[in-house]
Amino acid sequence: MKNLGILLSGRGSNFEAIARNVAAGKIPAKIALVVSNRENAPGLARARAMGLNTRFIPLQGKDREAYDRDVVAALKEHQVDWVCLAGFMRVLSPYFVRAFPGRILNIHPALLPAFPGLDAQKQALEAGVKFSGCTVHLVDEGVDTGPIVCQAVVPVLDNDTVETLSARILEEEHRIYSEAICLLLENKVRVENRRVALL
Amino acid sequence: MKNLGILLSGRGSNFEAIARNVAAGKIPAKIALVVSNRENAPGLARARAMGLNTRFIPLQGKDREAYDRDVVAALKEHQVDWVCLAGFMRVLSPYFVRAFPGRILNIHPALLPAFPGLDAQKQALEAGVKFSGCTVHLVDEGVDTGPIVCQAVVPVLDNDTVETLSARILEEEHRIYSEAICLLLENKVRVENRRVALL
């Protein structure tokens, strides 16, 4: 049984989807700790209500690495094996990435490498694409650049707004994040250069 | 009945798909001229065999705009309304783009804005994406940057090579290029900033 650490900054709907699948026995893991950089993140309250270990770790003027040392220490203290970013609105330092080599996952609301960074759905609408989607990827030291584990595609409709497109993508996020976690926890994939393939 | 001009450099399989749909009455247009910058392009021979007007226009050391003036002159001579690039391996000059404002289409074997430029399928495989596809777009003065008219998605399989992925994408290219031409010829879409929407 592997231990998951979840990092979030907001409502944590991807965290909730993962927690549901863990509770249903669909993900062979335990959520060992939920961390937030925002005290009032609704996801943190949800985690508490579920009886999970939670930790609010404030920035308090720390630089990126000093902050990440605190987060990594908390994760290690709870024997976390895999880290899942679920709307954690901070870029990880190389220190953090190296503390969990190849063991950090992120989800991004676009078909990477298209539309990395903030406001991916708005970027997609402004680019006029006919399809967008979401991507679960391993985290490396870049921003949204790590090896892609799973993707899902959704249509972009002519009358979409950021809200309607985001909602359509979010449904797929909830599905593929758990899928990707299972593939990795069960050692069903190999990572070769940037290609992640089923074994 | 609008007149199409087709520009190609190679086998012209997209040209053939368009020509088939024109012949079948599925595209309300006539192919008025097929131009190639390569004398031995198989697509040019196919066009000749179909009894279409063809023109080999050699580079002969001309600079980009001088060359494009010759091509535009040939297209205008045949009263071409819409220009379809079908594997034409040259970037158009601003002169050319302005000669057919909003009336030049291109097809690209990736989900733009991902993987513009050459070797799009190889770029996609190296990036490890799980889905790729193709894009029909209006041509502006950038490279593969114009407003997107149609896209189609295909899965990328773990054991794909450039050849197998290209073949899967090409099937969709043949389908959506004609779809996009129809949408535009029949004035069924409007272009607003970069978004092309059905009327």
Side-chain angles (χ1 to χ4, degrees), chain A residues 111-115 125-131 148-153 156-161 194-198, chain B residues 111-115 125-131 148-153 156-161 194-198:
Chain A
L111 292 173
L112 290 173
F115 315 127
L125 286 175
E126 287 174 355
V129 294
K130 301 301 182 187
F131 296 92
I148 292 169
V149 183
C150 289
Q151 293 187 303
V153 179
V156 178
L157 306 182
D158 285 350
N159 57 356
D160 263 336
T161 60
R194 305 190 48 73
R195 290 175 80 167
V196 179
L198 282 177
Chain B
L111 292 173
L112 291 173
F115 315 127
L125 286 175
E126 287 174 355
V129 294
K130 302 301 182 187
F131 295 92
I148 292 169
V149 183
C150 288
Q151 293 187 303
V153 179
V156 178
L157 306 181
D158 286 349
N159 58 355
D160 263 337
T161 60
R194 305 190 50 72
R195 291 175 80 168
V196 179
L198 282 176

Side-chain angles (χ1 to χ4, degrees), chain A residues 53-168:
Chain A
N53 298 318
T54 61
R55 189 78 67 88
F56 159 53
I57 304 183
L59 270 172
Q60 287 178 327
K62 282 170 261 184
D63 69 24
R64 188 178 305 281
E65 184 168 323
Y67 182 79
D68 282 3
R69 283 186 184 274
D70 289 355
V71 177
V72 166
L75 294 169
K76 295 284 186 190
E77 193 184 305
H78 287 82
Q79 281 91 49
V80 162
D81 301 298
W82 284 86
V83 178
C84 300
L85 309 182
F88 188 59
M89 300 307 285
R90 292 181 55 79
V91 174
L92 304 189
S93 64
Y95 169 81
F96 196 138
V97 175
R98 288 171 199 161
F100 291 93
R103 301 232 158 192
I104 308 172
L105 281 168
N106 184 36
I107 188 150
H108 183 79
L111 292 173
L112 290 173
F115 315 127
L118 292 176
D119 296 322
Q121 300 95 335
K122 184 159 174 267
Q123 289 184 56
L125 286 175
E126 287 174 355
V129 294
K130 301 301 182 187
F131 296 92
S132 190
C134 49
T135 302
V136 182
H137 64 93
L138 292 163
V139 173
D140 63 13
E141 296 181 19
V143 173
D144 301 327
T145 55
I148 292 169
V149 183
C150 289
Q151 293 187 303
V153 179
V154 305
V156 178
L157 306 182
D158 285 350
N159 57 356
D160 263 336
T161 60
V162 170
E163 290 66 35
T164 59
L165 177 59
S166 298
R168 194 175 306 122

